[in-house]
Amino acid sequence: VNITASNGSRYSNDRGVFDLANNYRIGWVEGGSWQNYTRTFPTNSYNVWAALSFDGRGAGQLQGSLDLVTSDATKPNQNTDRLGTFNFNGSGGWGRNELVPMKGTNGATATVTMGGVQTVRFNLGSGDFDYLLFVPAVVTPAAPKFTSIKRNANGSLTLEWTGGGVLEAAGAVTGPWAPITGATSPYTFTPTAAQNVLFGRIRL
């Protein structure tokens, strides 16, 4: 296995949240070769990216696949489940990485759930292999919305909502809007005699 220093190239030392003083990549790869990596993963859903390079721009020059080792990783003849594959055009230089997303059988970016001590296997295909990135999948929170507005017998109003946010009130729909300090769902307030009309909204 050819392991060579790879410093100062695109996406070599830069890991997004930290920089490496020294970095190495694996070259002269071929199908049938693989490496296992055992790590402790914070429980989460992840998108996976492989840093791969190839001195060319041809289609499919960056290839590989990722498996989850489902049997004892310290024993031979391990069982694995395929998590996804990597395939992209060459990067135009050895060590000049592309960050290639892992995709599923449907061609869409794959999302995998990891947690605790687990072993993954990177199967080499084509292109120098540098590293894997496990990036927490972005989950868009649900927008806040009112779920209940109830007028109580004493004239007070009880509002309920989901999605967090800050409750604001105004005397006109055009504002000005003022936040109601400390308001959380459910929130009950009693309008004053002067408040014939009152508008409410939730702002993120």
Side-chain angles (χ1 to χ4, degrees):
V1 175
N2 179 286
I3 299 178
T4 184
S6 183
N7 295 296
S9 299
R10 186 172 65 172
Y11 310 137
S12 57
N13 302 75
D14 182 9
R15 294 294 193 272
V17 294
F18 62 90
D19 291 324
L20 296 179
N22 292 291
N23 182 56
Y24 300 88
R25 71 179 190 273
I26 299 174
W28 297 95
V29 307
E30 60 182 358
S33 298
W34 50 266
Q35 294 91 35
N36 278 1
Y37 299 92
T38 301
R39 297 289 186 271
T40 301
F41 293 89
T43 300
N44 209 333
S45 295
Y46 296 92
N47 301 130
V48 188
W49 304 73
L52 302 169
S53 63
F54 196 102
D55 189 15
R57 295 287 188 179
Q61 289 180 326
L62 304 179
Q63 291 186 24
S65 62
L66 190 68
D67 296 340
L68 178 67
V69 177
T70 57
S71 60
D72 189 340
T74 66
K75 304 295 184 182
N77 303 317
Q78 298 157 10
N79 298 322
T80 61
D81 286 339
R82 178 59 46 87
L83 297 177
T85 59
F86 307 86
N87 190 301
F88 201 68
N89 301 338
S91 65
W94 301 115
R96 187 180 189 273
N97 290 323
E98 291 284 0
L99 298 179
V100 182
M102 184 176 74
K103 296 186 177 183
T105 55
N106 61 356
T109 299
T111 300
V112 296
T113 300
M114 309 291 289
V117 178
Q118 291 186 286
T119 299
V120 294
R121 174 179 297 181
F122 185 77
N123 303 288
L124 300 167
S126 175
D128 283 7
F129 170 58
D130 201 329
Y131 56 87
L132 294 168
L133 289 175
F134 286 78
V135 181
V138 175
V139 178
T140 303
K145 65 178 180 179
F146 288 109
T147 56
S148 174
I149 301 175
K150 182 172 66 175
R151 183 181 179 87
N152 303 309
N154 64 355
S156 65
L157 298 173
T158 299
L159 308 178
E160 296 182 23
W161 66 93
T162 60
V166 177
L167 180 64
E168 295 183 332
V173 71
T174 56
W177 294 88
I180 300 177
T181 303
T184 58
S185 179
Y187 179 75
T188 299
F189 69 96
T190 303
T192 67
Q195 291 174 315
N196 295 321
V197 177
L198 190 65
F199 294 88
R201 72 179 185 185
I202 306 168
R203 179 179 56 81
L204 282 176

